[in-house]
Amino acid sequence: MADKEATVYIVDVGRSMGERNQGRQQSDLEWVMLYVWDKITSTVATDRKTATLGVIGLHTVGTANELAEEESFANISVLQDIKQTLLPDLQRLRHLIKVSKTNDGDAISAVVLAIEAIAKYCKKLKYRRKIVLVTNGRGSLDADDVSEITSKIKEDNIELVVLGVDFDDADYGFKEEDKSSQKAENEAILKSLTDNCDGVFGTVAQAIEELGIPRLKTTRPVNSYKDQLTLGDPEQYDTAFSIDVERFPRTMIRRPASASQYVHRADLSNGLASASSSATILPDVDGPEGGTSAPNMNGLAAVRNARSYQVEDDTAPGGKRDVTRDELAKGYEYGRTAVHISESDESITNLDTKAALEIVGFIPWSNYDRHMSMSSSNVIIAQKTNSKAIIALSSLIHALFELESFAIARLVPKANKTPVLVLLAPSIEVDYECLLDVQIPFAEDVRSYRFAPLDRIVTVSGKILKEHRNLPNEALASAMSDYVDSLDLSAFGKDGDGNPTEYMQMTDTFSPVLHRIDQAVRWRAIHPTEPIPPPYDILTKFSKIPDDLEDASRLKLTKLMEAADVKKVPSKLRARKRQRDRITPLSGLDVSALLATSRPAAKISPDNPIPEFRQMLETTEDPNGIVDAASQLIVIIERHIKDSFGDSNYDRVVAEMTALREEMIEMEEPGLWNDWLKKLKEKLRGDGLGAGRDELWWRVRKDKLGLVVKSESEVSEIGDDEARQFFIR
């Protein structure tokens, strides 16, 4: 369980915070809020009730706090008490945090209010307590009681962070020129306060710069196995041994936040939810019917997908009858048929296993191929309070290390679970010892394939050729080797002292997808309409070759191109498919025409639309023929949509739309597709093809069946921005 947190942000909203300094395009308040919003939204994203925060406004026009009657606490407003913050709270704070019309108010008094708020909320419970003050230091400060405040901060174990707009920071390398005496004095007071509290004092510029460094999620270990590691059967043999161990994940893939389906509640009256729809609107309150989504300011309601089952029944309307899942039987494929096994019989096929980790053998390090690893790695340690187990496991680890061997073990994590084979590798570090395990395959899991060798060619007669036009010669192999060596990253980086080190270290390599999605979600929570900013540089740093390395390897690349005789092929305009020259056989006979049993159908059949549509396009050179073929397929697609029961025809419709779009691009007739797609969107929204077809439009977006843009077809009149807006509107 994560630690409980209570953080109070003190934001200076004084009149001077509306100014723009140091050549920035943003006001000081807008600039510092980049940091504050990032921290707040990161806390909100955890969705933890124990991660709480409050916000206090400094230099506000009014006064709203518990000590408002005292003069020293004037112009300070509590914008949010300490609590779990949700999206509606963010949107409310966004409207409250604005530049005020005064610079009156004392920052030290605001810190006192924050201390009182934390003490009142946390009481004597164990919390991580933190106060963050962001200010430009241009208001008045009352430093009379700083020593008492320092003692209280230390007593309550509160971390104080003070970030100032254009504050001097020698470590960061910034010093503001022509600074006013009042601001310099305030900086000195705040720095003294944080130093005495063992807090953090810095400039906002550095804090914002470090926002691009992804924050790694700290997870508490949860064991996946807690039992005995055995060698032999201790119940039958005195020579067997068992060690009490625990198993924890060592590496695990972290997935980005997943998207969910929602619907605007205002649209319910338009028939988006109907009896034939495959999606159901969840209630906005907790209840026995499911659904835990609460009302929100966006008017969205969660969507729950439902699945229906049908069987053929001549007596039922439409020839099909609905059945419940309980009426279905489980079947296994056997050739092209299905074999039914009842639940009572199926229990016989299940292995009756019990939790165990049993060593079945040992292999040398050299006999193990790294490609055999099938899973993420785990760490096995002895039970922490069992000194006997710690000594025994340490002996096993050192024995494996000294003999340069791995252990093979059979693992059953829990009773009645499927057994797997794992490889146990010794790991000895300065401060701990453990076994690392990874799943390895059974014999049935291995796929062996034979491929032609790359360094020689074997002819039909069995002759081996070492020199051939498809084989690299010595000059080409040498040039390629030199080019690869010139791109070596193992010593391209520099450490803190300027010494060569690895350029792309694992600790500095972050998942671009994961953190980019996180960045976009947090930005959109605060800025619903503004464009999402570009990804942080640290996420794209390793997506291309470093410029210095590319320059250093350019000569090697030139020699490689010469050795490989690389020639630039001029680009050719893509010709219209209907104007493409047909290949004429040397004999003058068109075999395809001779084998054709009939002429292409003048009308496309709804039962086989895609092949007949493409066949019709192959045999026409008239633009009217293309329009006719496309029109026929469009009619068929709309008929399939209208006749679809729920989403039963959606896969078929998407395939037909894909074929239509591809052929229109090939025929250089994107206008036919674009015009029809716009009409289709209106029909789906207006229930012109049946109610509840929003899921089909979602499928269209998912499969990227949007408008054809200029980058796809030169004759298209649609730009990228218009294509994006088409899906957004």
Side-chain angles (χ1 to χ4, degrees):
M1 181 178 178
D3 295 334
K4 293 185 286 187
E5 303 174 6
T7 304
V8 175
Y9 293 91
I10 304 174
V11 182
D12 187 346
V13 296
R15 183 178 67 250
S16 59
M17 290 291 286
E19 300 175 2
R20 299 180 182 182
N21 298 295
Q22 302 295 326
R24 292 185 292 267
Q25 299 298 318
Q26 302 163 297
S27 67
D28 289 348
L29 180 60
E30 293 172 338
W31 191 47
V32 300
M33 287 310 296
L34 293 177
Y35 170 83
V36 175
W37 286 134
D38 185 88
K39 294 299 181 182
I40 292 178
T41 52
S42 297
T43 302
V44 174
T46 63
D47 196 26
R48 286 170 35 217
K49 293 184 178 180
T50 56
T52 58
L53 63 90
V55 181
I56 295 177
L58 172 63
H59 298 154
T60 58
V61 174
T63 303
N65 61 73
E66 294 182 350
L67 303 176
E69 297 179 356
E70 300 185 26
E71 184 180 354
S72 59
F73 292 94
N75 299 107
I76 302 174
S77 300
V78 177
L79 305 181
Q80 176 181 296
D81 293 322
I82 300 177
K83 65 173 185 176
Q84 182 189 11
T85 303
L86 302 175
L87 182 58
D89 300 314
L90 287 180
Q91 296 171 337
R92 186 178 60 84
L93 285 173
R94 180 167 169 264
H95 293 288
L96 291 177
I97 300 178
K98 302 289 185 182
V99 177
S100 70
K101 299 179 180 179
T102 180
N103 285 328
D104 296 336
D106 179 25
I108 300 297
S109 299
V111 173
V112 172
L113 288 174
I115 295 172
E116 293 297 326
I118 291 177
K120 181 179 179 181
Y121 181 82
C122 300
K123 299 180 175 64
K124 297 297 182 180
L125 301 177
K126 184 179 179 181
Y127 271 85
R128 292 177 56 188
R129 311 172 189 213
K130 186 175 182 180
I131 297 174
V132 179
L133 168 63
V134 288
T135 177
N136 60 3
R138 294 171 62 178
S140 59
L141 285 183
D142 183 2
D144 293 342
D145 300 325
V146 169
S147 59
E148 297 179 7
I149 295 172
T150 301
S151 301
K152 181 62 175 177
I153 290 176
K154 288 184 175 181
E155 178 185 343
D156 292 351
N157 195 24
I158 298 175
E159 179 187 3
L160 177 62
V161 178
V162 176
L163 297 175
V165 178
D166 301 328
F167 277 16
D168 296 343
D169 192 330
D171 295 334
Y172 181 66
F174 178 81
K175 181 177 178 61
E176 184 182 13
E177 302 295 337
D178 301 326
K179 181 177 299 188
S180 65
S181 58
Q182 182 186 28
K183 182 174 181 179
E185 181 181 353
N186 291 342
E187 281 189 38
I189 295 173
L190 293 174
K191 189 175 190 308
S192 175
L193 174 62
T194 53
D195 290 344
N196 294 333
C197 298
D198 299 325
V200 178
F201 180 88
T203 183
V204 174
Q206 182 179 6
I208 293 178
E209 183 179 303
E210 293 178 353
L211 292 180
I213 302 176
R215 290 172 289 275
L216 302 183
K217 182 180 180 181
T218 303
T219 57
R220 288 185 176 271
V222 178
N223 62 62
S224 57
Y225 176 81
K226 187 177 182 180
D227 213 306
Q228 292 185 333
L229 168 65
T230 61
L231 177 59
D233 189 351
E235 296 180 359
Q236 297 186 20
Y237 305 102
D238 296 336
T239 55
F241 73 79
S242 61
I243 306 172
D244 293 328
V245 298
E246 295 182 68
R247 180 175 182 256
F248 298 92
R250 178 65 177 270
T251 59
M252 186 173 292
I253 298 176
R254 182 181 170 189
R255 308 289 183 184
S258 58
S260 301
Q261 292 181 337
Y262 293 88
V263 65
H264 284 282
R265 294 201 60 84
D267 294 339
L268 294 183
S269 60
N270 296 333
L272 287 181
S274 64
S276 61
S277 175
S278 60
T280 305
I281 309 302
L282 292 179
D284 275 347
V285 294
D286 298 344
E289 299 300 325
T292 58
S293 59
N296 57 70
M297 296 181 66
N298 291 328
L300 299 177
V303 176
R304 178 180 58 198
N305 293 327
R307 180 173 295 179
S308 60
Y309 301 90
Q310 294 179 324
V311 296
E312 294 184 359
D313 187 349
D314 296 336
T315 61
K320 293 183 179 180
R321 175 170 55 88
D322 290 339
V323 295
T324 62
R325 183 179 177 84
D326 296 336
E327 298 180 77
L328 302 178
K330 183 181 293 185
Y332 293 85
E333 287 188 8
Y334 185 68
R336 293 188 177 182
T337 59
V339 176
H340 167 60
I341 299 180
S342 62
E343 293 185 5
S344 58
D345 292 338
E346 189 176 8
S347 62
I348 301 175
T349 65
N350 296 330
L351 293 176
D352 186 13
T353 59
K354 61 180 181 179
L357 180 58
E358 304 165 337
I359 296 177
V360 297
F362 303 91
I363 61 170
W365 291 353
S366 57
N367 287 7
Y368 180 73
D369 297 325
R370 295 292 295 272
H371 65 263
M372 290 293 181
S373 300
M374 295 177 58
S375 68
S376 57
S377 59
N378 298 271
V379 58
I380 296 175
I381 61 173
Q383 291 186 3
K384 300 176 182 178
T385 58
N386 191 333
S387 58
K388 182 179 179 181
I390 293 174
I391 296 174
L393 185 63
S394 178
S395 301
L396 176 61
I397 292 171
H398 281 269
L400 290 173
F401 183 81
E402 293 171 4
L403 296 176
E404 297 184 351
S405 298
F406 295 133
I408 305 296
R410 174 182 177 271
L411 171 66
V412 181
K414 295 181 180 179
N416 297 322
K417 291 288 186 179
T418 303
V420 296
L421 286 179
V422 294
L423 181 85
L424 305 181
S427 177
I428 301 176
E429 303 294 339
V430 176
D431 52 349
Y432 71 93
E433 300 172 348
C434 67
L435 288 173
L436 300 178
D437 83 71
V438 65
Q439 184 179 346
I440 57 177
F442 289 101
E444 296 82 2
D445 299 325
V446 178
R447 298 290 184 267
S448 298
Y449 301 98
R450 294 180 64 87
F451 299 98
L454 298 177
D455 60 344
R456 63 189 182 278
I457 291 179
V458 181
T459 64
V460 178
S461 61
K463 185 179 180 180
I464 298 178
L465 302 178
K466 292 290 186 178
E467 294 183 1
H468 190 271
R469 60 185 178 86
N470 292 336
L471 295 177
N473 53 35
E474 292 185 4
L476 178 58
S478 176
M480 178 61 76
S481 177
D482 293 342
Y483 179 61
V484 172
D485 292 340
S486 68
L487 294 176
D488 184 14
L489 297 175
S490 60
F492 183 74
K494 301 291 182 182
D495 60 14
D497 299 328
N499 300 320
T501 186
E502 184 181 357
Y503 173 72
M504 191 175 175
Q505 297 188 23
M506 190 64 66
T507 54
D508 298 330
T509 308
F510 304 96
S511 170
V513 174
L514 191 152
H515 295 290
R516 175 58 174 164
I517 292 177
D518 181 56
Q519 176 194 7
V521 171
R522 288 188 285 110
W523 177 269
R524 181 58 73 230
I526 301 299
H527 308 90
T529 58
E530 296 182 17
I532 296 176
Y536 295 123
D537 293 338
I538 195 170
L539 300 180
T540 59
K541 178 180 179 181
F542 301 124
S543 62
K544 60 180 181 179
I545 302 175
D547 294 337
D548 295 342
L549 189 63
E550 187 175 13
D551 294 338
S553 63
R554 184 167 286 110
L555 180 60
K556 302 294 184 182
L557 177 59
T558 302
K559 292 182 178 180
L560 174 61
M561 295 173 64
E562 293 174 354
D565 193 22
V566 176
K567 297 179 180 178
K568 185 176 181 180
V569 178
S571 58
K572 297 181 179 179
L573 293 177
R574 193 174 188 179
R576 294 195 178 192
K577 185 175 180 180
R578 61 173 179 267
Q579 296 177 350
R580 185 171 55 198
D581 294 336
R582 296 181 180 274
I583 299 175
T584 304
L586 295 176
S587 62
L589 297 176
D590 189 345
V591 179
S592 299
L594 294 175
L595 294 178
T597 57
S598 62
R599 295 181 60 83
K603 188 174 182 180
I604 300 175
S605 170
D607 299 327
N608 191 32
I610 296 178
E612 292 187 9
F613 169 65
R614 286 179 169 157
Q615 186 180 12
M616 182 177 290
L617 292 178
E618 287 286 351
T619 58
T620 183
E621 297 182 1
D622 183 10
N624 294 330
I626 299 175
V627 174
D628 180 51
S631 300
Q632 290 190 46
L633 184 58
I634 287 172
V635 172
I636 293 172
I637 293 173
E638 294 184 352
R639 184 187 306 168
H640 287 163
I641 296 174
K642 194 170 185 178
D643 295 343
S644 176
F645 182 81
D647 61 352
S648 59
N649 284 348
Y650 287 178
D651 290 338
R652 185 176 186 179
V653 169
V654 170
E656 293 167 351
M657 292 179 65
T658 302
L660 177 61
R661 190 178 189 275
E662 291 175 352
E663 293 298 332
M664 291 301 99
I665 294 175
E666 187 74 17
M667 289 290 184
E668 295 188 355
E669 294 289 351
L672 293 175
W673 166 266
N674 292 339
D675 293 343
W676 172 71
L677 188 63
K678 295 176 182 178
K679 296 177 182 178
L680 176 65
K681 178 181 178 181
E682 298 301 325
K683 290 182 180 180
L684 294 177
R685 283 188 168 184
D687 297 339
L689 298 176
R693 299 301 184 191
D694 292 280
E695 186 175 348
L696 174 59
W697 189 247
W698 178 82
R699 289 284 303 275
V700 171
R701 295 184 60 179
K702 175 186 174 185
D703 290 9
K704 299 180 180 179
L705 298 177
L707 299 174
V708 178
V709 297
K710 294 180 181 179
S711 59
E712 296 176 288
S713 176
E714 294 181 355
V715 298
S716 175
E717 299 178 353
I718 304 297
D720 292 338
D721 293 338
E722 183 179 351
R724 282 192 294 267
Q725 291 298 324
F726 175 71
F727 274 139
I728 295 175
R729 292 194 299 265

